[in-house]
Amino acid sequence: MDEKFEAIIEGILADNYATCEDFFDEDLIAGLRNNLLNRHATGQMHQAGVGRQGTFQQDLKVRGDVISWMDDQPTEPHYRAFLDLIELFYRYLNRTCF
């Protein structure tokens, strides 16, 4: 995984952005997709908006998407695997770049 992390870092340094083929494996992507489809089908996705607290607005001209916040301690295995991978990258950045 370190080589993928390094490729991302190098891309950001060179181009201010990076892409990485196969960063997430196909099973993880499929599992996350199925979870999102299930959340949408069961009414757990909500209209997105802009602003915070007192200035929060829902305007379909600005944002027409729906969202659902992830729990930071998920029990669902695909969400957990996603967050674990992001955590690995975060720790790698801290260990090698700062």
Side-chain angles (χ1 to χ4, degrees):
M1 189 53 80
D2 287 359
E3 57 278 349
K4 290 181 181 182
F5 294 162
E6 281 298 322
I8 293 170
I9 293 166
E10 291 299 322
I12 292 169
L13 291 173
D15 303 317
N16 294 322
Y17 72 94
T19 61
C20 181
E21 291 290 322
D22 302 322
F23 187 78
F24 301 109
D25 68 49
E26 290 181 21
D27 290 336
L28 177 58
I29 292 170
L32 291 169
R33 180 181 185 277
N34 287 337
N35 289 341
L36 286 172
L37 291 172
N38 183 54
R39 291 181 74 79
H40 192 272
T42 59
Q44 297 177 57
M45 303 293 285
H46 307 286
Q47 181 63 48
V50 294
R52 292 179 168 238
Q53 296 173 351
T55 63
F56 181 77
Q57 301 174 36
Q58 290 179 327
D59 184 345
L60 292 177
K61 294 177 189 170
V62 176
R63 288 201 60 179
D65 56 326
V66 292
I67 62 170
S68 179
W69 292 100
M70 290 176 66
D71 185 350
D72 62 346
Q73 296 297 320
T75 56
E76 199 289 318
H78 295 98
Y79 288 150
R80 179 77 263 148
F82 171 81
L83 291 178
D84 287 347
L85 183 53
I86 298 304
E87 178 72 18
L88 277 176
F89 184 50
Y90 169 79
R91 289 179 186 269
Y92 187 85
L93 287 171
N94 281 337
R95 189 174 67 249
T96 61
C97 297
F98 298 103

